[in-house]
Amino acid sequence: MKRLKLTVAYDGTNYCGWQIQPNGITVEEVLNRALRKLTGEEITVIGASRTDSGVHGNVAVFDSETSIPPERISYALNQRLPDDIVVIRSEEVPADWHPRYCNSKKTYEYHILNAKIPDPTRRLTRYFVSFDLDIEKMKKAAQYLVGTHDFVSFCNVRTDVEDTVRTIYSLDILPVGDEITIRIQGNGFLYNMVRIIVGTLVRVGRGFYTPEQVQEILEAKNRKAAGVTAPPQGLFLVGIEYEE
């Protein structure tokens, strides 16, 4: 028996998130089915993140006795997956390696289309904001979130975790043309944390909050103090760096 790691890229538009649930098809369900057909084994993958509906990208592991070389599994699996799910890389990892409990740095990007008119070709991968956004104020506000803080104000009230302290290593606002990319790297993220941060920074950009109020929101430790949760389609998991 060996443990295999998959780096998965996908368009989450047509799925009800990553984790299997009764109300619709999920990415995990599709991967499990393809792996069972490939290996003939009853396989269930474990994802690094329980991403929401419409979110894109993840890392997963599974245990198998297959004789297929680890690096070839991605090629064989992609022949059995729909076009909106692709395994970028497959590799063997130690038997006790777990994608959620290893020390890691996760990097997310959130993409905003900041224009007067929506673009139908980008509607499934961008958050459309028609109002002018003050990028410099958003950058200033973002720096209050860098470091180790209790992020309970930026966490969905339905979360069941006890420890809401997380570390953000960097938070950058990157405008190019009519798009704004918010890139955030941290040691872990709470449920909806990135999307609530984005929603709050957009409120700063529109002038509803001052940059300094972001620090007050952190200190309030109250979800109602922060901005709305930005929609899922703009969120991409772009990288996970695992420590040895």
Short mmCIF file of all heavy atoms in Angstrom, two decimals, residues 173-238:
data_model
loop_
_atom_site.label_atom_id
_atom_site.label_comp_id
_atom_site.label_asym_id
_atom_site.label_seq_id
_atom_site.Cartn_x
_atom_site.Cartn_y
_atom_site.Cartn_z
N ILE A 173 -2.19 43.55 -3.36
CA ILE A 173 -3.24 44.00 -4.27
C ILE A 173 -2.56 44.35 -5.59
O ILE A 173 -1.73 45.26 -5.66
CB ILE A 173 -3.98 45.25 -3.73
CG1 ILE A 173 -4.30 45.10 -2.24
CG2 ILE A 173 -5.22 45.52 -4.57
CD1 ILE A 173 -5.29 44.02 -1.91
N LEU A 174 -2.90 43.61 -6.66
CA LEU A 174 -2.16 43.72 -7.92
C LEU A 174 -3.12 44.10 -9.05
O LEU A 174 -3.77 43.24 -9.65
CB LEU A 174 -1.47 42.39 -8.22
CG LEU A 174 -0.59 41.82 -7.09
CD1 LEU A 174 -0.19 40.38 -7.39
CD2 LEU A 174 0.63 42.69 -6.89
N PRO A 175 -3.21 45.39 -9.40
CA PRO A 175 -4.07 45.81 -10.51
C PRO A 175 -3.35 45.71 -11.85
O PRO A 175 -2.21 46.14 -12.00
CB PRO A 175 -4.39 47.27 -10.16
CG PRO A 175 -3.18 47.74 -9.40
CD PRO A 175 -2.61 46.54 -8.68
N VAL A 176 -4.04 45.13 -12.84
CA VAL A 176 -3.52 45.09 -14.21
C VAL A 176 -4.72 45.30 -15.14
O VAL A 176 -5.63 44.46 -15.21
CB VAL A 176 -2.85 43.74 -14.54
CG1 VAL A 176 -2.39 43.73 -16.00
CG2 VAL A 176 -1.67 43.48 -13.62
N GLY A 177 -4.72 46.42 -15.84
CA GLY A 177 -5.85 46.72 -16.73
C GLY A 177 -7.14 46.85 -15.93
O GLY A 177 -7.21 47.58 -14.94
N ASP A 178 -8.16 46.13 -16.36
CA ASP A 178 -9.44 46.19 -15.66
C ASP A 178 -9.60 45.07 -14.63
O ASP A 178 -10.69 44.81 -14.13
CB ASP A 178 -10.62 46.16 -16.65
CG ASP A 178 -10.65 44.87 -17.48
OD1 ASP A 178 -9.79 43.99 -17.27
OD2 ASP A 178 -11.54 44.75 -18.35
N GLU A 179 -8.49 44.40 -14.30
CA GLU A 179 -8.54 43.34 -13.31
C GLU A 179 -7.69 43.68 -12.09
O GLU A 179 -6.65 44.32 -12.20
CB GLU A 179 -8.06 42.01 -13.90
CG GLU A 179 -9.03 41.43 -14.90
CD GLU A 179 -8.79 39.93 -15.13
OE1 GLU A 179 -8.03 39.32 -14.36
OE2 GLU A 179 -9.39 39.38 -16.08
N ILE A 180 -8.17 43.24 -10.94
CA ILE A 180 -7.43 43.37 -9.68
C ILE A 180 -7.26 41.97 -9.12
O ILE A 180 -8.24 41.25 -8.92
CB ILE A 180 -8.18 44.26 -8.67
CG1 ILE A 180 -8.41 45.66 -9.24
CG2 ILE A 180 -7.40 44.33 -7.36
CD1 ILE A 180 -9.37 46.49 -8.44
N THR A 181 -6.02 41.57 -8.87
CA THR A 181 -5.74 40.29 -8.24
C THR A 181 -5.33 40.53 -6.80
O THR A 181 -4.41 41.33 -6.53
CB THR A 181 -4.62 39.53 -8.97
OG1 THR A 181 -5.03 39.28 -10.31
CG2 THR A 181 -4.31 38.21 -8.28
N ILE A 182 -6.00 39.88 -5.88
CA ILE A 182 -5.64 39.92 -4.47
C ILE A 182 -4.96 38.60 -4.15
O ILE A 182 -5.58 37.54 -4.21
CB ILE A 182 -6.87 40.14 -3.57
CG1 ILE A 182 -7.50 41.51 -3.90
CG2 ILE A 182 -6.48 40.07 -2.10
CD1 ILE A 182 -8.76 41.81 -3.13
N ARG A 183 -3.66 38.65 -3.88
CA ARG A 183 -2.87 37.44 -3.61
C ARG A 183 -2.54 37.39 -2.12
O ARG A 183 -1.98 38.34 -1.57
CB ARG A 183 -1.59 37.44 -4.44
CG ARG A 183 -0.66 36.26 -4.15
CD ARG A 183 0.61 36.35 -4.97
NE ARG A 183 0.37 35.89 -6.33
CZ ARG A 183 0.75 34.69 -6.78
NH1 ARG A 183 1.36 33.85 -5.98
NH2 ARG A 183 0.51 34.34 -8.02
N ILE A 184 -2.89 36.27 -1.49
CA ILE A 184 -2.72 36.13 -0.04
C ILE A 184 -2.05 34.80 0.26
O ILE A 184 -2.44 33.76 -0.25
CB ILE A 184 -4.09 36.27 0.67
CG1 ILE A 184 -3.94 36.16 2.18
CG2 ILE A 184 -5.11 35.29 0.13
CD1 ILE A 184 -5.20 36.55 2.94
N GLN A 185 -1.03 34.87 1.10
CA GLN A 185 -0.32 33.65 1.51
C GLN A 185 -0.33 33.56 3.03
O GLN A 185 -0.07 34.54 3.73
CB GLN A 185 1.12 33.64 1.01
CG GLN A 185 1.87 32.35 1.35
CD GLN A 185 3.31 32.37 0.88
OE1 GLN A 185 4.16 33.02 1.48
NE2 GLN A 185 3.59 31.67 -0.23
N GLY A 186 -0.67 32.38 3.55
CA GLY A 186 -0.71 32.19 4.99
C GLY A 186 -0.47 30.75 5.38
O GLY A 186 -0.33 29.87 4.53
N ASN A 187 -0.45 30.50 6.68
CA ASN A 187 -0.22 29.14 7.16
C ASN A 187 -1.51 28.33 7.27
O ASN A 187 -1.49 27.16 7.64
CB ASN A 187 0.50 29.16 8.51
CG ASN A 187 -0.36 29.73 9.64
OD1 ASN A 187 -1.43 30.32 9.41
ND2 ASN A 187 0.10 29.57 10.87
N GLY A 188 -2.61 28.94 6.93
CA GLY A 188 -3.91 28.27 6.96
C GLY A 188 -5.02 29.31 6.96
O GLY A 188 -4.79 30.47 7.32
N PHE A 189 -6.21 28.89 6.55
CA PHE A 189 -7.31 29.84 6.43
C PHE A 189 -8.59 29.24 7.00
O PHE A 189 -8.86 28.05 6.84
CB PHE A 189 -7.52 30.23 4.96
CG PHE A 189 -6.34 30.97 4.38
CD1 PHE A 189 -5.31 30.28 3.75
CD2 PHE A 189 -6.25 32.34 4.49
CE1 PHE A 189 -4.21 30.95 3.24
CE2 PHE A 189 -5.16 33.03 3.97
CZ PHE A 189 -4.14 32.34 3.34
N LEU A 190 -9.36 30.09 7.66
CA LEU A 190 -10.64 29.69 8.22
C LEU A 190 -11.70 29.62 7.12
O LEU A 190 -11.48 30.08 6.00
CB LEU A 190 -11.06 30.69 9.31
CG LEU A 190 -10.06 30.85 10.47
CD1 LEU A 190 -10.41 32.09 11.28
CD2 LEU A 190 -10.06 29.61 11.35
N TYR A 191 -12.85 29.07 7.48
CA TYR A 191 -13.95 28.92 6.52
C TYR A 191 -14.40 30.28 6.02
O TYR A 191 -14.79 31.15 6.79
CB TYR A 191 -15.10 28.18 7.20
CG TYR A 191 -16.28 27.88 6.32
CD1 TYR A 191 -16.11 27.48 5.00
CD2 TYR A 191 -17.58 27.98 6.80
CE1 TYR A 191 -17.20 27.19 4.19
CE2 TYR A 191 -18.68 27.68 6.01
CZ TYR A 191 -18.48 27.30 4.71
OH TYR A 191 -19.56 27.02 3.91
N ASN A 192 -14.27 30.49 4.71
CA ASN A 192 -14.66 31.74 4.03
C ASN A 192 -13.72 32.92 4.35
O ASN A 192 -14.02 34.06 3.98
CB ASN A 192 -16.09 32.16 4.36
CG ASN A 192 -17.14 31.36 3.63
OD1 ASN A 192 -18.32 31.42 3.97
ND2 ASN A 192 -16.75 30.60 2.64
N MET A 193 -12.61 32.66 5.01
CA MET A 193 -11.73 33.75 5.46
C MET A 193 -11.24 34.61 4.30
O MET A 193 -11.30 35.85 4.38
CB MET A 193 -10.55 33.16 6.23
CG MET A 193 -9.52 34.18 6.71
SD MET A 193 -8.29 33.36 7.76
CE MET A 193 -6.94 34.52 7.67
N VAL A 194 -10.75 34.01 3.24
CA VAL A 194 -10.22 34.80 2.12
C VAL A 194 -11.34 35.62 1.49
O VAL A 194 -11.16 36.81 1.18
CB VAL A 194 -9.55 33.89 1.07
CG1 VAL A 194 -9.10 34.72 -0.13
CG2 VAL A 194 -8.37 33.16 1.68
N ARG A 195 -12.50 35.02 1.32
CA ARG A 195 -13.61 35.74 0.67
C ARG A 195 -14.13 36.89 1.53
O ARG A 195 -14.55 37.92 1.00
CB ARG A 195 -14.73 34.75 0.34
CG ARG A 195 -14.36 33.78 -0.79
CD ARG A 195 -15.32 32.62 -0.89
NE ARG A 195 -16.69 33.07 -1.08
CZ ARG A 195 -17.76 32.29 -0.94
NH1 ARG A 195 -17.60 31.01 -0.60
NH2 ARG A 195 -18.96 32.76 -1.14
N ILE A 196 -14.09 36.74 2.84
CA ILE A 196 -14.51 37.83 3.73
C ILE A 196 -13.47 38.94 3.72
O ILE A 196 -13.82 40.14 3.74
CB ILE A 196 -14.78 37.31 5.15
CG1 ILE A 196 -15.96 36.34 5.14
CG2 ILE A 196 -15.07 38.46 6.11
CD1 ILE A 196 -16.16 35.57 6.44
N ILE A 197 -12.19 38.57 3.69
CA ILE A 197 -11.14 39.58 3.57
C ILE A 197 -11.32 40.38 2.28
O ILE A 197 -11.24 41.61 2.28
CB ILE A 197 -9.75 38.92 3.62
CG1 ILE A 197 -9.43 38.46 5.05
CG2 ILE A 197 -8.66 39.87 3.11
CD1 ILE A 197 -8.14 37.68 5.18
N VAL A 198 -11.58 39.69 1.18
CA VAL A 198 -11.79 40.37 -0.10
C VAL A 198 -12.99 41.31 -0.01
O VAL A 198 -12.93 42.47 -0.43
CB VAL A 198 -11.98 39.36 -1.24
CG1 VAL A 198 -12.44 40.06 -2.52
CG2 VAL A 198 -10.69 38.59 -1.50
N GLY A 199 -14.09 40.81 0.53
CA GLY A 199 -15.29 41.64 0.67
C GLY A 199 -15.03 42.88 1.49
O GLY A 199 -15.55 43.97 1.19
N THR A 200 -14.21 42.74 2.52
CA THR A 200 -13.88 43.89 3.38
C THR A 200 -12.97 44.87 2.65
O THR A 200 -13.17 46.10 2.72
CB THR A 200 -13.20 43.38 4.66
OG1 THR A 200 -14.08 42.47 5.34
CG2 THR A 200 -12.87 44.54 5.60
N LEU A 201 -11.99 44.36 1.92
CA LEU A 201 -11.09 45.25 1.17
C LEU A 201 -11.83 45.99 0.06
O LEU A 201 -11.52 47.15 -0.24
CB LEU A 201 -9.92 44.44 0.59
CG LEU A 201 -8.93 43.88 1.61
CD1 LEU A 201 -7.87 43.02 0.91
CD2 LEU A 201 -8.27 45.00 2.41
N VAL A 202 -12.80 45.35 -0.55
CA VAL A 202 -13.62 46.03 -1.56
C VAL A 202 -14.40 47.18 -0.91
O VAL A 202 -14.53 48.26 -1.49
CB VAL A 202 -14.57 45.04 -2.26
CG1 VAL A 202 -15.63 45.78 -3.09
CG2 VAL A 202 -13.77 44.10 -3.17
N ARG A 203 -14.88 46.95 0.30
CA ARG A 203 -15.59 48.02 1.02
C ARG A 203 -14.64 49.19 1.31
O ARG A 203 -15.05 50.36 1.25
CB ARG A 203 -16.16 47.49 2.33
CG ARG A 203 -17.18 46.37 2.19
CD ARG A 203 -18.55 46.87 1.88
NE ARG A 203 -19.19 47.52 3.01
CZ ARG A 203 -20.42 48.03 2.98
NH1 ARG A 203 -21.13 47.97 1.85
NH2 ARG A 203 -20.95 48.60 4.03
N VAL A 204 -13.39 48.88 1.61
CA VAL A 204 -12.40 49.94 1.80
C VAL A 204 -12.19 50.69 0.48
O VAL A 204 -12.17 51.92 0.44
CB VAL A 204 -11.06 49.36 2.29
CG1 VAL A 204 -9.96 50.44 2.28
CG2 VAL A 204 -11.20 48.79 3.70
N GLY A 205 -12.05 49.93 -0.60
CA GLY A 205 -11.83 50.54 -1.91
C GLY A 205 -12.96 51.44 -2.35
O GLY A 205 -12.75 52.42 -3.07
N ARG A 206 -14.18 51.12 -1.91
CA ARG A 206 -15.34 51.94 -2.26
C ARG A 206 -15.54 53.12 -1.31
O ARG A 206 -16.39 53.97 -1.56
CB ARG A 206 -16.60 51.07 -2.28
CG ARG A 206 -16.63 50.05 -3.40
CD ARG A 206 -17.95 49.30 -3.43
NE ARG A 206 -19.08 50.21 -3.66
CZ ARG A 206 -20.37 49.85 -3.60
NH1 ARG A 206 -20.67 48.59 -3.33
NH2 ARG A 206 -21.33 50.72 -3.83
N GLY A 207 -14.80 53.14 -0.20
CA GLY A 207 -14.88 54.27 0.73
C GLY A 207 -15.81 54.05 1.90
O GLY A 207 -16.02 54.98 2.70
N PHE A 208 -16.37 52.86 2.05
CA PHE A 208 -17.26 52.60 3.18
C PHE A 208 -16.47 52.44 4.49
O PHE A 208 -16.98 52.75 5.56
CB PHE A 208 -18.10 51.35 2.94
CG PHE A 208 -19.12 51.51 1.85
CD1 PHE A 208 -18.99 50.88 0.63
CD2 PHE A 208 -20.24 52.33 2.04
CE1 PHE A 208 -19.92 51.04 -0.38
CE2 PHE A 208 -21.18 52.48 1.05
CZ PHE A 208 -21.04 51.84 -0.17
N TYR A 209 -15.26 51.91 4.41
CA TYR A 209 -14.36 51.80 5.55
C TYR A 209 -13.08 52.56 5.24
O TYR A 209 -12.66 52.62 4.08
CB TYR A 209 -13.96 50.35 5.83
CG TYR A 209 -15.06 49.36 6.10
CD1 TYR A 209 -14.90 48.02 5.73
CD2 TYR A 209 -16.25 49.73 6.74
CE1 TYR A 209 -15.88 47.08 5.98
CE2 TYR A 209 -17.24 48.80 6.98
CZ TYR A 209 -17.06 47.47 6.60
OH TYR A 209 -18.04 46.55 6.83
N THR A 210 -12.45 53.10 6.26
CA THR A 210 -11.10 53.62 6.10
C THR A 210 -10.12 52.45 6.26
O THR A 210 -10.47 51.43 6.87
CB THR A 210 -10.78 54.68 7.16
OG1 THR A 210 -10.78 54.07 8.46
CG2 THR A 210 -11.80 55.81 7.13
N PRO A 211 -8.91 52.57 5.74
CA PRO A 211 -7.94 51.49 5.95
C PRO A 211 -7.74 51.17 7.43
O PRO A 211 -7.59 50.00 7.81
CB PRO A 211 -6.67 52.03 5.31
CG PRO A 211 -7.16 52.97 4.24
CD PRO A 211 -8.39 53.61 4.83
N GLU A 212 -7.73 52.21 8.26
CA GLU A 212 -7.48 52.02 9.69
C GLU A 212 -8.59 51.21 10.37
O GLU A 212 -8.35 50.54 11.38
CB GLU A 212 -7.35 53.38 10.39
CG GLU A 212 -6.12 54.17 10.00
CD GLU A 212 -6.21 54.80 8.62
OE1 GLU A 212 -7.35 54.94 8.09
OE2 GLU A 212 -5.16 55.18 8.05
N GLN A 213 -9.79 51.25 9.81
CA GLN A 213 -10.89 50.49 10.41
C GLN A 213 -10.71 48.98 10.30
O GLN A 213 -11.32 48.22 11.05
CB GLN A 213 -12.22 50.91 9.76
CG GLN A 213 -12.77 52.22 10.30
CD GLN A 213 -14.09 52.58 9.64
OE1 GLN A 213 -14.11 53.07 8.52
NE2 GLN A 213 -15.18 52.33 10.34
N VAL A 214 -9.85 48.54 9.38
CA VAL A 214 -9.60 47.11 9.26
C VAL A 214 -8.97 46.57 10.54
O VAL A 214 -9.28 45.46 10.98
CB VAL A 214 -8.72 46.82 8.03
CG1 VAL A 214 -8.26 45.37 8.01
CG2 VAL A 214 -9.49 47.14 6.75
N GLN A 215 -8.09 47.36 11.14
CA GLN A 215 -7.52 46.94 12.41
C GLN A 215 -8.60 46.87 13.49
O GLN A 215 -8.61 45.95 14.33
CB GLN A 215 -6.41 47.90 12.85
CG GLN A 215 -5.71 47.45 14.14
CD GLN A 215 -4.49 48.28 14.46
OE1 GLN A 215 -4.20 49.28 13.80
NE2 GLN A 215 -3.75 47.86 15.47
N GLU A 216 -9.53 47.80 13.48
CA GLU A 216 -10.63 47.78 14.44
C GLU A 216 -11.51 46.55 14.23
O GLU A 216 -12.01 45.95 15.19
CB GLU A 216 -11.47 49.05 14.30
CG GLU A 216 -10.72 50.33 14.63
CD GLU A 216 -11.56 51.58 14.36
OE1 GLU A 216 -12.78 51.45 14.16
OE2 GLU A 216 -10.98 52.68 14.34
N ILE A 217 -11.70 46.16 12.96
CA ILE A 217 -12.49 44.96 12.66
C ILE A 217 -11.81 43.73 13.23
O ILE A 217 -12.46 42.85 13.81
CB ILE A 217 -12.69 44.84 11.14
CG1 ILE A 217 -13.60 45.97 10.64
CG2 ILE A 217 -13.30 43.48 10.78
CD1 ILE A 217 -13.66 46.09 9.13
N LEU A 218 -10.49 43.64 13.07
CA LEU A 218 -9.73 42.53 13.65
C LEU A 218 -9.93 42.46 15.16
O LEU A 218 -10.22 41.40 15.73
CB LEU A 218 -8.25 42.71 13.36
CG LEU A 218 -7.62 42.01 12.16
CD1 LEU A 218 -6.15 42.42 12.06
CD2 LEU A 218 -7.74 40.50 12.26
N GLU A 219 -9.79 43.60 15.81
CA GLU A 219 -9.86 43.65 17.26
C GLU A 219 -11.27 43.42 17.79
O GLU A 219 -11.45 43.00 18.93
CB GLU A 219 -9.33 45.00 17.75
CG GLU A 219 -7.83 45.20 17.46
CD GLU A 219 -7.34 46.61 17.73
OE1 GLU A 219 -8.20 47.49 18.00
OE2 GLU A 219 -6.11 46.83 17.68
N ALA A 220 -12.27 43.66 16.96
CA ALA A 220 -13.66 43.47 17.39
C ALA A 220 -13.99 42.00 17.63
O ALA A 220 -14.86 41.67 18.44
CB ALA A 220 -14.62 44.04 16.35
N LYS A 221 -13.32 41.10 16.90
CA LYS A 221 -13.56 39.65 17.02
C LYS A 221 -15.04 39.34 16.88
O LYS A 221 -15.62 38.58 17.65
CB LYS A 221 -12.99 39.11 18.33
CG LYS A 221 -11.49 39.27 18.45
CD LYS A 221 -10.94 38.71 19.74
CE LYS A 221 -9.43 38.91 19.82
NZ LYS A 221 -8.87 38.40 21.08
N ASN A 222 -15.61 39.94 15.83
CA ASN A 222 -17.05 39.81 15.59
C ASN A 222 -17.27 39.80 14.08
O ASN A 222 -16.92 40.76 13.39
CB ASN A 222 -17.79 40.99 16.23
CG ASN A 222 -19.30 40.88 16.11
OD1 ASN A 222 -19.82 40.11 15.29
ND2 ASN A 222 -20.01 41.63 16.91
N ARG A 223 -17.84 38.72 13.56
CA ARG A 223 -18.07 38.60 12.12
C ARG A 223 -18.89 39.76 11.57
O ARG A 223 -18.66 40.20 10.43
CB ARG A 223 -18.76 37.25 11.82
CG ARG A 223 -19.26 37.11 10.38
CD ARG A 223 -18.11 37.08 9.39
NE ARG A 223 -18.56 37.10 8.02
CZ ARG A 223 -18.72 38.20 7.28
NH1 ARG A 223 -18.46 39.39 7.80
NH2 ARG A 223 -19.11 38.13 6.03
N LYS A 224 -19.81 40.29 12.35
CA LYS A 224 -20.67 41.37 11.87
C LYS A 224 -19.91 42.66 11.62
O LYS A 224 -20.40 43.55 10.92
CB LYS A 224 -21.80 41.62 12.87
CG LYS A 224 -22.78 40.46 12.99
CD LYS A 224 -23.89 40.78 13.98
CE LYS A 224 -24.88 39.62 14.09
NZ LYS A 224 -25.95 39.90 15.09
N ALA A 225 -18.70 42.77 12.16
CA ALA A 225 -17.92 44.00 11.98
C ALA A 225 -17.28 44.07 10.60
O ALA A 225 -17.00 45.16 10.10
CB ALA A 225 -16.83 44.08 13.05
N ALA A 226 -17.06 42.92 9.97
CA ALA A 226 -16.36 42.88 8.67
C ALA A 226 -17.33 43.02 7.51
O ALA A 226 -18.56 43.05 7.69
CB ALA A 226 -15.57 41.58 8.56
N GLY A 227 -16.78 43.08 6.32
CA GLY A 227 -17.59 43.24 5.11
C GLY A 227 -18.28 41.95 4.69
O GLY A 227 -18.14 40.90 5.35
N VAL A 228 -18.99 42.02 3.59
CA VAL A 228 -19.72 40.86 3.08
C VAL A 228 -18.75 39.80 2.56
O VAL A 228 -17.58 40.10 2.29
CB VAL A 228 -20.69 41.26 1.94
CG1 VAL A 228 -21.71 42.26 2.44
CG2 VAL A 228 -19.92 41.85 0.75
N THR A 229 -19.22 38.59 2.42
CA THR A 229 -18.42 37.51 1.84
C THR A 229 -18.44 37.64 0.33
O THR A 229 -19.51 37.58 -0.29
CB THR A 229 -18.98 36.14 2.26
OG1 THR A 229 -19.05 36.08 3.68
CG2 THR A 229 -18.09 35.01 1.74
N ALA A 230 -17.28 37.83 -0.28
CA ALA A 230 -17.21 37.94 -1.75
C ALA A 230 -17.64 36.61 -2.38
O ALA A 230 -17.49 35.55 -1.77
CB ALA A 230 -15.79 38.29 -2.18
N PRO A 231 -18.20 36.64 -3.58
CA PRO A 231 -18.66 35.41 -4.22
C PRO A 231 -17.51 34.44 -4.52
O PRO A 231 -16.35 34.86 -4.61
CB PRO A 231 -19.33 35.91 -5.51
CG PRO A 231 -18.75 37.26 -5.74
CD PRO A 231 -18.45 37.83 -4.40
N PRO A 232 -17.81 33.16 -4.67
CA PRO A 232 -16.75 32.14 -4.77
C PRO A 232 -15.99 32.11 -6.08
O PRO A 232 -14.84 31.67 -6.12
CB PRO A 232 -17.51 30.83 -4.55
CG PRO A 232 -18.89 31.11 -5.02
CD PRO A 232 -19.15 32.53 -4.65
N GLN A 233 -16.60 32.56 -7.18
CA GLN A 233 -16.02 32.27 -8.49
C GLN A 233 -14.66 32.93 -8.73
O GLN A 233 -13.91 32.48 -9.59
CB GLN A 233 -16.98 32.64 -9.63
CG GLN A 233 -17.24 34.14 -9.79
CD GLN A 233 -18.48 34.58 -9.05
OE1 GLN A 233 -18.92 33.94 -8.11
NE2 GLN A 233 -19.08 35.68 -9.50
N GLY A 234 -14.33 33.96 -7.97
CA GLY A 234 -13.04 34.62 -8.17
C GLY A 234 -11.89 33.98 -7.42
O GLY A 234 -10.73 34.40 -7.58
N LEU A 235 -12.15 32.96 -6.60
CA LEU A 235 -11.13 32.41 -5.71
C LEU A 235 -10.43 31.20 -6.30
O LEU A 235 -11.07 30.23 -6.71
CB LEU A 235 -11.77 32.03 -4.37
CG LEU A 235 -10.82 31.53 -3.28
CD1 LEU A 235 -9.78 32.59 -2.93
CD2 LEU A 235 -11.60 31.12 -2.03
N PHE A 236 -9.09 31.25 -6.30
CA PHE A 236 -8.26 30.16 -6.81
C PHE A 236 -7.20 29.80 -5.77
O PHE A 236 -6.51 30.68 -5.25
CB PHE A 236 -7.54 30.58 -8.10
CG PHE A 236 -8.45 30.83 -9.26
CD1 PHE A 236 -9.18 32.01 -9.36
CD2 PHE A 236 -8.57 29.89 -10.28
CE1 PHE A 236 -10.03 32.25 -10.44
CE2 PHE A 236 -9.40 30.13 -11.37
CZ PHE A 236 -10.13 31.29 -11.44
N LEU A 237 -7.06 28.52 -5.49
CA LEU A 237 -5.92 28.03 -4.72
C LEU A 237 -4.79 27.83 -5.72
O LEU A 237 -4.86 26.94 -6.58
CB LEU A 237 -6.26 26.71 -4.02
CG LEU A 237 -5.11 26.03 -3.28
CD1 LEU A 237 -4.60 26.89 -2.14
CD2 LEU A 237 -5.56 24.67 -2.74
N VAL A 238 -3.75 28.65 -5.63
CA VAL A 238 -2.71 28.62 -6.65
C VAL A 238 -1.44 27.91 -6.20
O VAL A 238 -0.57 27.61 -7.03
CB VAL A 238 -2.35 30.05 -7.14
CG1 VAL A 238 -3.53 30.70 -7.80
CG2 VAL A 238 -1.83 30.92 -5.99
#
